[in-house]
Amino acid sequence: MTEKQESQDAEEDAAPSGRSATLPPLRPPSERLSCQKSSVCSRSYFVVVMVFFHVYIFNVIALLFYVHYSSGHDQDTSRARDAPGSEQQQQPQQQQQQRRLESRSSPPEPRFMHDVSLARVEGIRVGHVQEVSLVPGKVHEMRTLSLKPLLFEIPGFLSEEECRVVMQLAQLKGLMESQLMVLDGQEELAKELNLSPEEIFTLLDINQDGQLQLHEILTHSRVRDGIWLTPENLKEIYTGLKADKDGNGLLSLEEFRLLSNDAFQRFLMQQGVKRSQLVRNSRHTWLYQGKGSHQVLQDIKTRVTRLTRLPPTLVDLSEPLQVVRYEEGGHYHAHHDSGPVYPETACTHTRLAANTSTPFETSCRYITVLFYLNSVEGGGETAFPVADNRTYDEVCLIQNDVDLLDTRRNCDKSNLRVNPTKGTAVFWYNYLSDGRGWVGEQDEYALHGGCVVTHGVKWVANKWINIDPDYQRQIRYQQLVAQLPEDEDDEGLNLNPGMHTSDVHQDL
C-alpha cells in the first residue's frame, strides 16, 4: 500500500461514522505533545504520587507514637515526683516556702486585664427606669439622671432602720472636722519639684494669654490651700500683698515673680479664716465594712457590689464607708472625687504598689455611691453644675459674677440638683471606659458639690470603689494585700479585705 493510500485510510478512520466532518489540519510532528498517549508517563506519575502518600502516612503514624510515648513519660515523671521518698518530698520545708515566696513576688502576667472586665451600667437615656435586684425578694427601680456623667438614682436603697443604725454607729465612732487648714510646705514642694516661677506661671495660665485672671488664681488656690476665695476676697489679698501694681485685676509674669509660693496662705493665716471660707464645711468619720463589722454595714457593701456589678474583690479592697454630717450652713463646693492620672501622679490606694516617690497623689475613685441618711428640711441638694452640658470648659466655670463652683451662692444655676431623701442612693462613674473593659480618662462632667444646708441637718454616706487606671499597678496592689493559703496556686487571688496599705483617705 502506498503512502497516499495509508493517509487516506487514516483520515477515514478518524471521521465519525454516520456524518462527514471537516478535520482541522494535523500539527507538524515537531509540535505534537510528547507523552500524550504514552502509558509510561502516567504510570510514573502515579508511582511518584503513591510513594509520597505512603511516606506521609508513615510520618503521621510515627508522630502519633511519639506523642503517646511523651505523654506516658510525663505521667510517669509526675507520679515519680509525687511518690513517697521522692526528691521534692525530701527537700526541707524552708526551701519550699522560699520558692512560694519567690513565685508570689514575680511580676504578674498581664492577664488581669483580660480576665476581669469592669461592667458598666447602661444609662440608655435620661429618665430611663430599669429594675435591679439588690436584696432577695425585692426589686428596686433605678432611674437615669444624666449621661454625662453616667448618673443613677435608686429610691429606697436603704431602709429607715438601716439609716438610723449608720448614723448611730458614726456618732459612737466620733466625727472629726472634714477639712483642716493646709500645713506649711509650699516652698519645700516647689523646691522638690524644681519648678521655676515661669513654669508655675505657665501651669496657672490656663488660657495661655500671658496674664493670670482672677478665676485662674481662684482655681489654683482652692485646690492647693483648701480655702474658698471669692473674687472679692482675692482683690483684698492683692491689695494687702501689693501684688497688682497696675490695679487691672490681672497678674503679669513680672508681678507674679514678686510673690512667694505660699504668699496667699500666709496672708490668710494672718487675717484668720472662717469655717464658711473652707472648701468643705462638715464633720465625718469612717466605718469599717469587713468581717466582724455590723451586719448592716456588711449588707450595704453587698448591695453596692450587686448594684455596680463589679467583682467583690474590688469592692472589698476599696475605702471604708464614709459618713458625713452637715450642720446648718454646711456645704461642699463643687469638686471631683477623683483626679486625672498622669505619669507624674500615683493613685493613693496603690501608692505602695507603684513603687514610686512621686510627690503628686490622687484618689482613684472609679465609682461614687452616695446615700442620703435623712431628709433635709432646707437646702443640702447634691448639685452637678455641668451635667449633660454640650461641652466642658474649665475657664467658663467662673464668669463675671457667676461662679458655678460656689455651692453657697449659685447652686440654683447648676444643670442638675438631687434632693436629699432618706434611704435614696445615687451613684455615678468618675471615669470613662477605655473601650477595652478598664478605666479610661476622668469624666470631667462628674463635677459635683453639696449645696448649703439652710435649715436642719444633713446626713450622708459615701462608698467609693477604688480602681487604678493602670491595671498592672492594680494587680500588684491586690497581690500585696492578698492572703493565699500555702497549698493554693498563684493563679487565684483570694484577697483579704481587712488588709489595707493605709488607713488615710483623701478628701477631694
Side-chain angles (χ1 to χ4, degrees):
M1 185 179 292
T2 65
E3 294 180 0
K4 183 176 181 180
Q5 290 175 341
E6 291 178 357
S7 175
Q8 291 176 354
D9 294 340
E11 291 177 358
E12 291 175 359
D13 294 339
S17 60
R19 67 180 181 89
S20 64
T22 303
L23 297 176
L26 297 176
R27 296 182 181 179
S30 60
E31 295 181 1
R32 291 180 183 178
L33 297 175
S34 61
C35 300
Q36 185 175 2
K37 294 183 180 181
S38 174
S39 62
V40 177
C41 288
S42 50
R43 184 182 300 111
S44 302
Y45 179 78
F46 174 78
V47 171
V48 171
V49 170
M50 292 304 296
V51 169
F52 277 105
F53 178 77
H54 283 80
V55 171
Y56 174 77
I57 293 298
F58 288 141
N59 286 337
V60 171
I61 295 173
L63 179 61
L64 292 176
F65 275 113
Y66 174 77
V67 172
H68 177 73
Y69 173 79
S70 300
S71 300
H73 181 267
D74 292 339
Q75 291 177 0
D76 293 339
T77 304
S78 177
R79 282 194 290 266
R81 284 198 306 262
D82 298 337
S86 64
E87 181 180 357
Q88 183 179 2
Q89 291 293 331
Q90 294 174 358
Q91 288 179 345
Q93 185 72 19
Q94 184 177 1
Q95 295 180 6
Q96 296 182 19
Q97 183 69 17
Q98 180 67 23
R99 287 201 305 273
R100 292 194 187 97
L101 295 176
E102 291 177 356
S103 64
R104 292 176 188 173
S105 61
S106 60
E109 298 178 358
R111 184 178 53 201
F112 182 77
M113 178 66 177
H114 305 286
D115 292 346
V116 178
S117 180
L118 303 178
R120 288 177 70 93
V121 181
E122 294 294 335
I124 311 300
R125 64 181 182 278
V126 175
H128 176 73
V129 177
Q130 51 187 308
E131 294 183 345
V132 291
S133 178
L134 304 177
V135 295
K138 184 178 181 180
V139 175
H140 290 81
E141 290 188 347
M142 180 171 64
R143 188 166 72 98
T144 303
L145 297 184
S146 75
L147 299 178
K148 298 189 307 182
L150 197 51
L151 171 66
F152 304 91
E153 180 184 44
I154 309 98
F157 188 95
L158 300 178
S159 66
E160 290 191 11
E161 177 65 17
E162 289 173 329
C163 292
R164 184 186 63 81
V165 169
V166 173
M167 289 188 291
Q168 287 184 345
L169 291 175
Q171 290 174 320
L172 290 173
K173 176 84 177 288
L175 290 87
M176 68 185 80
E177 292 290 340
S178 295
Q179 181 175 319
L180 302 175
M181 286 293 295
V182 178
L183 300 176
D184 294 335
Q186 301 296 334
E187 294 282 1
E188 288 73 9
L189 179 59
K191 291 178 181 179
E192 181 180 352
L193 296 176
N194 195 25
L195 295 177
S196 65
E198 291 77 9
E199 291 173 324
I200 298 176
F201 185 89
T202 301
L203 291 174
L204 299 179
D205 189 9
I206 299 175
N207 58 7
Q208 298 295 303
D209 63 348
Q211 292 182 319
L212 297 183
Q213 280 81 12
L214 289 176
H215 69 268
E216 292 172 332
I217 293 292
L218 289 175
T219 301
H220 170 67
S221 66
R222 292 166 181 175
V223 174
R224 185 192 67 179
D225 299 329
I227 302 172
W228 192 265
L229 299 178
T230 64
E232 294 80 10
N233 298 143
L234 192 56
K235 292 177 181 178
E236 294 175 3
I237 295 176
Y238 281 2
T239 303
L241 295 177
K242 298 180 180 180
D244 186 13
K245 300 296 184 181
D246 51 13
N248 63 352
L250 306 174
L251 288 185
S252 64
L253 178 58
E254 291 72 19
E255 292 171 332
F256 183 77
R257 283 199 186 104
L258 302 178
L259 297 174
S260 62
N261 288 327
D262 58 352
F264 285 11
Q265 186 177 9
R266 290 181 178 177
F267 179 84
L268 291 171
M269 293 293 287
Q270 294 174 359
Q271 298 294 318
V273 179
K274 301 177 181 178
R275 287 175 56 89
S276 60
Q277 290 180 289
L278 298 177
V279 172
R280 183 179 189 179
N281 180 12
S282 62
R283 301 174 66 85
H284 78 280
T285 190
W286 300 90
L287 298 179
Y288 171 69
Q289 292 183 279
K291 293 181 179 179
S293 63
H294 196 284
Q295 188 60 44
V296 168
L297 300 179
Q298 296 189 48
D299 291 344
I300 293 175
K301 185 181 68 173
T302 301
R303 219 169 297 166
V304 168
T305 304
R306 293 177 180 173
L307 173 67
T308 59
R309 306 173 189 175
L310 295 176
T313 294
L314 295 176
V315 181
D316 290 342
L317 292 178
S318 296
E319 296 169 69
L321 186 71
Q322 185 195 50
V323 183
V324 187
R325 173 188 169 96
Y326 295 90
E327 298 179 358
E328 191 166 314
H331 65 277
Y332 196 173
H333 290 303
H335 61 284
H336 288 96
D337 283 348
S338 286
V341 180
Y342 302 113
E344 298 81 12
T345 63
C347 294
T348 301
H349 76 285
T350 59
R351 176 174 51 86
L352 295 180
N355 192 24
T356 179
S357 58
T358 173
F360 296 108
E361 294 180 19
T362 186
S363 293
C364 298
R365 293 162 171 168
Y366 179 60
I367 289 179
T368 297
V369 185
L370 173 65
F371 313 100
Y372 297 111
L373 302 179
N374 75 320
S375 298
V376 184
E377 297 178 24
E381 303 94 337
T382 303
F384 293 83
V386 293
D388 284 326
N389 236 30
R390 293 184 61 184
T391 59
Y392 177 86
D393 188 354
E394 185 179 4
V395 176
C396 295
L397 294 174
I398 307 175
Q399 289 292 333
N400 300 324
D401 295 332
V402 178
D403 182 357
L404 293 178
L405 303 175
D406 194 334
T407 59
R408 290 181 61 87
R409 295 184 177 183
N410 301 313
C411 250
D412 58 330
K413 296 180 178 61
S414 295
N415 288 354
L416 175 64
R417 287 180 295 166
V418 182
N419 293 320
T421 304
K422 180 188 292 187
T424 297
V426 291
F427 89 94
W428 63 88
Y429 294 90
N430 295 304
Y431 292 91
L432 303 172
S433 173
D434 67 346
R436 297 171 295 177
W438 200 250
V439 181
E441 297 180 352
Q442 180 194 27
D443 190 345
E444 295 176 326
Y445 292 90
L447 184 74
H448 65 283
C451 301
V452 62
V453 177
T454 57
H455 299 287
V457 177
K458 172 185 174 182
W459 284 88
V460 297
N462 296 296
K463 180 62 180 177
W464 287 294
I465 312 299
N466 303 109
I467 305 178
D468 196 320
D470 186 331
Y471 62 87
Q472 291 289 4
R473 283 204 302 255
Q474 184 69 30
I475 296 175
R476 291 194 292 269
Y477 162 68
Q478 293 186 195
Q479 291 180 333
L480 280 176
V481 298
Q483 188 177 17
L484 295 174
E486 292 185 357
D487 58 347
E488 186 171 340
D489 192 6
D490 284 342
E491 292 182 358
L493 290 178
N494 276 339
L495 299 174
N496 182 2
M499 298 177 61
H500 290 269
T501 56
S502 175
D503 290 332
V504 179
H505 306 285
Q506 183 176 357
D507 295 321
L508 295 183

